[in-house]
PDB file of all heavy atoms in Angstrom:
ATOM      1  N   TYR A 124      -6.719  -1.578 -47.727  1.00  0.00           N
ATOM      2  CA  TYR A 124      -6.846  -0.199 -48.218  1.00  0.00           C
ATOM      3  C   TYR A 124      -5.486   0.277 -48.701  1.00  0.00           C
ATOM      4  O   TYR A 124      -4.468  -0.024 -48.093  1.00  0.00           O
ATOM      5  CB  TYR A 124      -7.332   0.734 -47.105  1.00  0.00           C
ATOM      6  CG  TYR A 124      -8.798   0.600 -46.797  1.00  0.00           C
ATOM      7  CD1 TYR A 124      -9.223   0.083 -45.574  1.00  0.00           C
ATOM      8  CD2 TYR A 124      -9.765   0.986 -47.725  1.00  0.00           C
ATOM      9  CE1 TYR A 124     -10.576  -0.035 -45.285  1.00  0.00           C
ATOM     10  CE2 TYR A 124     -11.108   0.868 -47.439  1.00  0.00           C
ATOM     11  CZ  TYR A 124     -11.511   0.365 -46.222  1.00  0.00           C
ATOM     12  OH  TYR A 124     -12.840   0.248 -45.937  1.00  0.00           O
ATOM     13  N   SER A 132      -2.947  -0.835 -45.707  1.00  0.00           N
ATOM     14  CA  SER A 132      -3.296  -1.470 -44.432  1.00  0.00           C
ATOM     15  C   SER A 132      -4.301  -2.600 -44.649  1.00  0.00           C
ATOM     16  O   SER A 132      -5.300  -2.437 -45.366  1.00  0.00           O
ATOM     17  CB  SER A 132      -3.848  -0.429 -43.445  1.00  0.00           C
ATOM     18  OG  SER A 132      -4.968   0.202 -43.989  1.00  0.00           O
ATOM     19  N   VAL A 134      -7.081  -4.421 -43.313  1.00  0.00           N
ATOM     20  CA  VAL A 134      -8.081  -4.169 -42.284  1.00  0.00           C
ATOM     21  C   VAL A 134      -8.863  -5.444 -41.950  1.00  0.00           C
ATOM     22  O   VAL A 134      -9.177  -5.704 -40.792  1.00  0.00           O
ATOM     23  CB  VAL A 134      -9.017  -3.029 -42.737  1.00  0.00           C
ATOM     24  CG1 VAL A 134     -10.144  -2.841 -41.767  1.00  0.00           C
ATOM     25  CG2 VAL A 134      -8.209  -1.737 -42.867  1.00  0.00           C
ATOM     26  N   PRO A 153     -12.988  -4.079 -30.600  1.00  0.00           N
ATOM     27  CA  PRO A 153     -12.456  -2.752 -30.290  1.00  0.00           C
ATOM     28  C   PRO A 153     -12.642  -1.777 -31.451  1.00  0.00           C
ATOM     29  O   PRO A 153     -12.795  -2.203 -32.596  1.00  0.00           O
ATOM     30  CB  PRO A 153     -10.956  -3.007 -30.066  1.00  0.00           C
ATOM     31  CG  PRO A 153     -10.810  -4.455 -29.863  1.00  0.00           C
ATOM     32  CD  PRO A 153     -11.943  -5.118 -30.565  1.00  0.00           C
ATOM     33  N   SER A 154     -12.601  -0.506 -31.136  1.00  0.00           N
ATOM     34  CA  SER A 154     -12.648   0.529 -32.156  1.00  0.00           C
ATOM     35  C   SER A 154     -11.486   0.321 -33.136  1.00  0.00           C
ATOM     36  O   SER A 154     -10.361   0.074 -32.723  1.00  0.00           O
ATOM     37  CB  SER A 154     -12.543   1.871 -31.441  1.00  0.00           C
ATOM     38  OG  SER A 154     -12.475   2.890 -32.374  1.00  0.00           O
ATOM     39  N   GLY A 155     -11.777   0.357 -34.423  1.00  0.00           N
ATOM     40  CA  GLY A 155     -10.740   0.179 -35.435  1.00  0.00           C
ATOM     41  C   GLY A 155     -10.453  -1.271 -35.790  1.00  0.00           C
ATOM     42  O   GLY A 155      -9.573  -1.557 -36.593  1.00  0.00           O
ATOM     43  N   SER A 156     -11.227  -2.215 -35.211  1.00  0.00           N
ATOM     44  CA  SER A 156     -10.943  -3.639 -35.463  1.00  0.00           C
ATOM     45  C   SER A 156     -11.465  -4.118 -36.820  1.00  0.00           C
ATOM     46  O   SER A 156     -11.132  -5.205 -37.263  1.00  0.00           O
ATOM     47  CB  SER A 156     -11.515  -4.507 -34.346  1.00  0.00           C
ATOM     48  OG  SER A 156     -12.909  -4.298 -34.229  1.00  0.00           O
ATOM     49  N   GLY A 157     -12.292  -3.297 -37.475  1.00  0.00           N
ATOM     50  CA  GLY A 157     -12.770  -3.668 -38.810  1.00  0.00           C
ATOM     51  C   GLY A 157     -14.257  -3.986 -38.884  1.00  0.00           C
ATOM     52  O   GLY A 157     -14.736  -4.486 -39.903  1.00  0.00           O
ATOM     53  N   LYS A 158     -15.019  -3.671 -37.841  1.00  0.00           N
ATOM     54  CA  LYS A 158     -16.448  -4.012 -37.811  1.00  0.00           C
ATOM     55  C   LYS A 158     -17.232  -3.344 -38.944  1.00  0.00           C
ATOM     56  O   LYS A 158     -17.991  -4.005 -39.657  1.00  0.00           O
ATOM     57  CB  LYS A 158     -17.079  -3.586 -36.464  1.00  0.00           C
ATOM     58  CG  LYS A 158     -16.418  -4.180 -35.246  1.00  0.00           C
ATOM     59  CD  LYS A 158     -17.113  -3.747 -33.964  1.00  0.00           C
ATOM     60  CE  LYS A 158     -17.046  -2.259 -33.665  1.00  0.00           C
ATOM     61  NZ  LYS A 158     -15.665  -1.759 -33.393  1.00  0.00           N
ATOM     62  N   THR A 159     -17.043  -2.032 -39.063  1.00  0.00           N
ATOM     63  CA  THR A 159     -17.785  -1.299 -40.102  1.00  0.00           C
ATOM     64  C   THR A 159     -17.337  -1.747 -41.490  1.00  0.00           C
ATOM     65  O   THR A 159     -18.166  -1.933 -42.386  1.00  0.00           O
ATOM     66  CB  THR A 159     -17.605   0.222 -39.913  1.00  0.00           C
ATOM     67  OG1 THR A 159     -18.236   0.583 -38.683  1.00  0.00           O
ATOM     68  CG2 THR A 159     -18.229   1.016 -41.041  1.00  0.00           C
ATOM     69  N   THR A 160     -16.034  -1.956 -41.635  1.00  0.00           N
ATOM     70  CA  THR A 160     -15.526  -2.438 -42.928  1.00  0.00           C
ATOM     71  C   THR A 160     -16.176  -3.776 -43.285  1.00  0.00           C
ATOM     72  O   THR A 160     -16.618  -3.972 -44.417  1.00  0.00           O
ATOM     73  CB  THR A 160     -13.989  -2.584 -42.866  1.00  0.00           C
ATOM     74  OG1 THR A 160     -13.427  -1.341 -42.456  1.00  0.00           O
ATOM     75  CG2 THR A 160     -13.421  -2.990 -44.213  1.00  0.00           C
TER      76      THR A 160
HETATM   77  N1  ADP B 130     -11.493   4.112 -46.587  1.00  0.00           N
HETATM   78  C1  ADP B 130     -10.478   3.773 -45.779  1.00  0.00           C
HETATM   79  N2  ADP B 130      -9.189   3.936 -46.147  1.00  0.00           N
HETATM   80  C2  ADP B 130      -8.167   3.569 -45.334  1.00  0.00           C
HETATM   81  N3  ADP B 130      -8.328   3.028 -44.135  1.00  0.00           N
HETATM   82  C3  ADP B 130      -9.587   2.822 -43.707  1.00  0.00           C
HETATM   83  C4  ADP B 130     -10.730   3.180 -44.498  1.00  0.00           C
HETATM   84  N4  ADP B 130     -11.865   2.838 -43.807  1.00  0.00           N
HETATM   85  C5  ADP B 130     -11.425   2.334 -42.649  1.00  0.00           C
HETATM   86  N5  ADP B 130     -10.084   2.310 -42.576  1.00  0.00           N
HETATM   87  C6  ADP B 130      -9.258   1.800 -41.457  1.00  0.00           C
HETATM   88  O1  ADP B 130      -9.645   0.470 -41.218  1.00  0.00           O
HETATM   89  C7  ADP B 130      -9.615   0.165 -39.822  1.00  0.00           C
HETATM   90  C8  ADP B 130     -10.951  -0.419 -39.395  1.00  0.00           C
HETATM   91  O2  ADP B 130     -11.959   0.574 -39.504  1.00  0.00           O
HETATM   92  P1  ADP B 130     -13.474   0.258 -39.175  1.00  0.00           P
HETATM   93  O3  ADP B 130     -13.916  -0.890 -39.986  1.00  0.00           O
HETATM   94  O4  ADP B 130     -14.217   1.540 -39.340  1.00  0.00           O
HETATM   95  O5  ADP B 130     -13.394  -0.147 -37.636  1.00  0.00           O
HETATM   96  P2  ADP B 130     -14.536  -0.264 -36.521  1.00  0.00           P
HETATM   97  O6  ADP B 130     -15.867  -0.090 -37.178  1.00  0.00           O
HETATM   98  O7  ADP B 130     -14.333  -1.604 -35.916  1.00  0.00           O
HETATM   99  O8  ADP B 130     -14.235   0.821 -35.536  1.00  0.00           O
HETATM  100  C9  ADP B 130      -9.249   1.454 -39.105  1.00  0.00           C
HETATM  101  O9  ADP B 130      -7.884   1.414 -38.789  1.00  0.00           O
HETATM  102  C10 ADP B 130      -9.542   2.509 -40.142  1.00  0.00           C
HETATM  103  O10 ADP B 130      -8.684   3.605 -39.967  1.00  0.00           O
END
Side-chain angles (χ1 to χ4, degrees):
Y124 284 113
S132 58
V134 174
S154 175
S156 58
K158 303 182 296 295
T159 294
T160 305

